[in-house]
Amino acid sequence: MFKTSMAISPTPTPFAPLLFAGDWRRGLATAIELEFDGVEVSIRDPHDQVVEDLKGAIQSSGLVVSTVATGQSYYSDGLSPTSFDPNIQSKLLDRMKAIIDFAAPWKAPVIIGGVRGKLEGNPIEQKAQISRVLESIRMYTEYAEASSVSLAIEPINRYETNFINTISEALEIINQVGSENLGIISDTFHMNIEEVSLAESLRMAGPWLKGVHFVDNNRKAAGQGHIDFHELTAVLSEISYQGFIIAEILPLPDSRTAAKQAIAFFRSL
Ligand code: LER
Ligand code: MN
């Protein structure tokens, strides 16, 4: 049995696959009621009071934070480490440090997913953007080391970004960064679009795997589409995966029903 988690956001967000976005009290209450082991928290600005309130509530809830997501800084505020603007870089570094502090009590991996942005311009400009991202990731991992927090790159499908779509591309970046506390979060929705074989690429992620977004091909709860999660849990066992399976799913038909579908399916695996 794997530890279970569901992804919530304390603030409303245009980024869709989150449950109870903007209503963390109901999100947390539902995770407790349905006996998830943890929650993934998607944070926009870690300096918001609501983030502090949520942290306190999780600490007294018996749940843990499985993972922390950071994409809202890009989706809502346009902050990305590809930027040539030093003000953007330093604003994002400040946020990432505060997000790592948020994750620290649980040593929860902090995800570098949507936040990494997109590559733009000609090949020379894109190369410079990649260098800036590598440098930024090095700074995040260096800061995170002190509290034993890991960073984790999430490959995302081509319709959302042109930068790191597959697990092998993420492994290449990990190799270039060269930090011990940098791994991968895989997301079965994206893998279904990009990977030749979901099972093989999970195997490839092996020791670098820090978390798994277990979500079906239609971005609904696992079990509501056609991905073979039994095959994938067999691979997770084979690679001795110790992390969470995380429902990062659309709130369809509503957040509570989707959370119930996810936990029921997780338990059936
Ligand atoms: C984030 O976890 C994710 O899966 C992406 O769709 C973000 O764009
Ligand atoms: Mn994801």
Side-chain angles (χ1 to χ4, degrees):
M1 274 308 284
F2 297 101
K3 293 179 287 184
T4 59
S5 173
M6 56 178 247
I8 60 172
S9 167
T11 42
T13 161
F15 173 60
L18 294 167
L19 301 177
F20 301 100
D23 191 357
W24 66 262
R25 287 175 203 281
R26 274 190 64 221
L28 207 55
T30 305
I32 294 167
E33 179 204 335
L34 300 180
E35 297 182 357
F36 278 87
D37 300 306
V39 283
E40 173 173 303
V41 182
S42 175
I43 295 178
R44 180 176 174 180
D45 184 348
H47 304 296
D48 278 350
Q49 181 57 38
V50 70
V51 176
E52 199 50 42
D53 295 346
L54 172 58
K55 186 176 187 180
I58 297 172
Q59 281 173 321
S60 48
S61 73
L63 290 175
V64 298
V65 172
S66 62
T67 30
V68 185
T70 58
Q72 291 192 49
S73 279
Y74 177 67
Y75 297 126
S76 299
D77 301 317
L79 306 181
S80 140
T82 56
S83 176
F84 65 88
D85 179 344
N87 289 326
I88 289 189
Q89 290 285 0
S90 78
K91 200 166 175 192
L92 186 57
L93 179 60
D94 169 68
R95 279 197 187 183
M96 290 299 289
K97 286 181 173 175
I99 288 174
I100 290 162
D101 293 344
F102 176 95
W106 301 278
K107 298 183 179 16
V110 172
I111 306 173
I112 301 173
V115 74
R116 68 181 172 273
K118 293 172 187 160
L119 301 180
E120 279 158 10
N122 65 41
I124 294 169
E125 289 165 328
Q126 296 200 2
K127 223 173 146 199
Q129 287 159 16
I130 294 173
S131 300
R132 287 196 287 271
V133 174
L134 295 180
E135 202 36 54
S136 299
I137 296 177
R138 272 188 206 111
M139 287 194 275
Y140 308 157
T141 52
E142 232 165 73
Y143 181 82
E145 226 172 65
S147 44
S148 305
V149 167
S150 296
L151 278 292
I153 297 176
E154 179 177 356
I156 291 177
N157 80 73
R158 70 188 66 191
Y159 304 107
E160 296 181 42
T161 182
N162 57 354
F163 184 30
I164 316 176
N165 303 127
T166 62
I167 287 190
S168 66
E169 286 166 0
L171 287 171
E172 225 170 89
I173 295 287
I174 289 169
N175 196 25
Q176 288 176 49
V177 172
S179 303
E180 285 290 309
N181 57 334
L182 180 62
I184 289 181
I185 295 265
S186 65
D187 180 319
T188 51
F189 171 79
H190 302 304
M191 291 168 78
N192 178 61
I193 295 169
E194 297 293 345
E195 305 288 354
V196 174
S197 156
L198 278 69
E200 271 313 310
S201 43
L202 267 191
R203 253 183 218 114
M204 207 198 315
W208 288 276
L209 199 59
K210 306 276 181 198
V212 183
H213 287 157
F214 249 28
V215 42
D216 228 316
N217 59 289
N218 48 15
R219 196 110 226 186
K220 292 184 182 175
Q224 302 299 310
H226 58 69
I227 291 178
D228 183 352
F229 289 97
H230 290 94
E231 183 192 23
L232 301 185
T233 43
V235 176
L236 293 180
S237 301
E238 187 190 306
I239 63 174
S240 305
Y241 175 69
Q242 300 294 319
F244 286 79
I245 51 176
I246 303 154
E248 188 208 37
I249 54 179
L250 292 171
L252 293 175
D254 57 77
S255 289
R256 189 181 157 73
T257 308
K260 281 176 94 168
Q261 288 170 340
I263 197 70
F265 188 77
F266 286 174
R267 297 231 165 85
S268 76
L269 287 168

